Amino acid sequence: MSNIEYERTIEINYKHDDEMNKDQKSRFAYELQKRGITLRSRYGDKPVYGFNEVTKESSEYEVLLNGEPIFTTTKNYVAYEARDRMNEVSEQTAEVERTEIVKTKKEWRKLEGNFVELESFGDDYISGKHNLNIDSESIYVEASFYQFHRSLQLEIKTSWRTDRIQREDVIKETLVEAPLAVVGDIQRIFESVLKLKRFGYDVDDVEIDCNFKAMTANESKCSPDIVKMTREARK
């Protein structure tokens, strides 16, 4: 029999009147990272958030005619086209001098991805998924967040691949109870930052959608006790 993958998805929606701007997202990522969660892309390098020193390099091009400055530009093609044109129509000598400019300043590291990595997992976090090895079974927890106009959504997926159809109680134990501590940690850390005064989200009055799905079967809603268990895990 081919493998069957079971998946439980819970979506928690936090309402807010205003969407986070670019600066707030940077600070949000920084506060999360201080508490043990890094927001990142699925496959890219892990960013280090904060108010960091950034060095930017650029070039300026000065066009000279017989050694006298005519104009300066940051566009090399403009400078060299002007030089060539002046040399074509004039017996005077036009040339270009290039100057390298290095500027250092501090700025907030921008948000780089919407996948959640729990720092405590270390090498067991691979390509956006936390790998839990429980009783020789691999259970994966994947968390991500999405920003909407008047809300922010935390989505947590737990998945498990098995070689046969499983009973409902086994699915619940594997997809809900076994990874409950991890799911609780993600919610707890995420919400500890959302409710800070500078962000102002209500982490108790939330909208929750929870579904079970088997890749070869129909999708079904989570029972109320599973939703309750999942939310209580953050405490």
Side-chain angles (χ1 to χ4, degrees):
M1 179 182 290
S2 60
N3 287 340
I4 298 173
E5 184 173 358
Y6 291 96
E7 182 179 274
R8 194 283 295 262
T9 302
I10 184 165
E11 297 172 349
I12 307 169
N13 290 282
Y14 307 91
K15 294 173 288 186
H16 200 282
D17 290 337
D18 301 310
E19 183 177 349
M20 284 189 197
N21 58 34
K22 181 180 178 181
D23 182 64
Q24 286 175 315
K25 288 178 181 178
S26 296
R27 292 170 183 257
F28 179 62
Y30 171 65
E31 293 293 340
L32 281 174
Q33 195 164 57
K34 286 198 303 182
R35 291 161 172 79
I37 278 180
T38 295
L39 296 178
R40 57 180 300 178
S41 62
R42 184 186 288 276
Y43 301 111
D45 294 333
K46 181 162 64 175
V48 177
Y49 293 109
F51 196 56
N52 303 324
E53 191 172 88
V54 178
T55 299
K56 294 186 177 181
E57 298 180 359
S58 61
S59 299
E60 282 187 352
Y61 302 86
E62 186 175 44
V63 180
L64 305 136
L65 187 61
N66 288 340
E68 295 295 323
I70 304 299
F71 71 92
T72 301
T73 178
T74 58
K75 298 180 173 62
N76 62 347
Y77 69 90
V78 172
Y80 288 109
E81 284 182 3
R83 179 203 64 183
D84 294 343
R85 183 59 179 160
M86 283 189 283
N87 285 333
E88 287 174 3
V89 301
S90 172
E91 295 182 356
Q92 303 181 74
T93 302
E95 56 186 349
V96 174
E97 287 188 356
R98 175 181 172 180
T99 303
E100 297 294 330
I101 300 172
V102 178
K103 293 182 179 180
T104 301
K105 65 177 182 178
K106 282 195 168 185
E107 60 183 37
W108 284 100
R109 178 75 175 262
K110 68 178 182 178
L111 178 65
E112 297 185 20
N114 65 321
F115 284 89
V116 170
E117 176 185 356
L118 274 174
E119 296 291 343
S120 59
F121 265 71
D123 293 338
D124 288 324
Y125 178 88
I126 303 173
S127 302
K129 295 183 178 183
H130 304 84
N131 182 15
L132 286 73
N133 288 299
I134 301 174
D135 297 331
S136 300
E137 296 280 359
S138 287
I139 304 168
Y140 295 97
V141 178
E142 177 181 306
S144 53
F145 90 101
Y146 304 93
Q147 176 102 39
F148 301 109
H149 178 54
R150 290 186 177 273
S151 68
L152 187 148
Q153 182 185 94
L154 174 63
E155 180 184 88
I156 304 175
K157 293 181 179 179
T158 53
S159 59
W160 170 48
R161 188 179 293 273
T162 180
D163 61 359
R164 59 187 181 277
I165 295 174
Q166 300 288 341
R167 301 192 315 271
E168 184 177 342
D169 62 319
V170 175
I171 295 171
K172 179 180 176 181
E173 179 182 352
T174 306
L175 290 185
V176 179
E177 296 172 5
L180 193 60
V182 175
V183 173
D185 282 346
I186 292 171
Q187 291 179 90
R188 178 180 52 78
I189 297 172
F190 202 79
E191 293 179 3
S192 72
V193 176
L194 279 180
K195 67 183 181 182
L196 291 176
K197 186 176 180 180
R198 67 161 51 110
F199 304 114
Y201 281 78
D202 187 339
V203 299
D204 294 313
D205 182 18
V206 297
E207 295 178 356
I208 298 174
D209 191 22
C210 182
N211 298 281
F212 279 106
K213 179 170 61 176
M215 299 313 178
T216 57
N218 294 329
E219 185 173 340
S220 62
K221 289 289 183 182
C222 300
S223 61
D225 68 303
I226 289 175
V227 174
K228 183 174 183 292
M229 184 190 307
T230 301
R231 288 297 283 163
E232 288 179 346
R234 64 196 170 124
K235 300 177 181 177

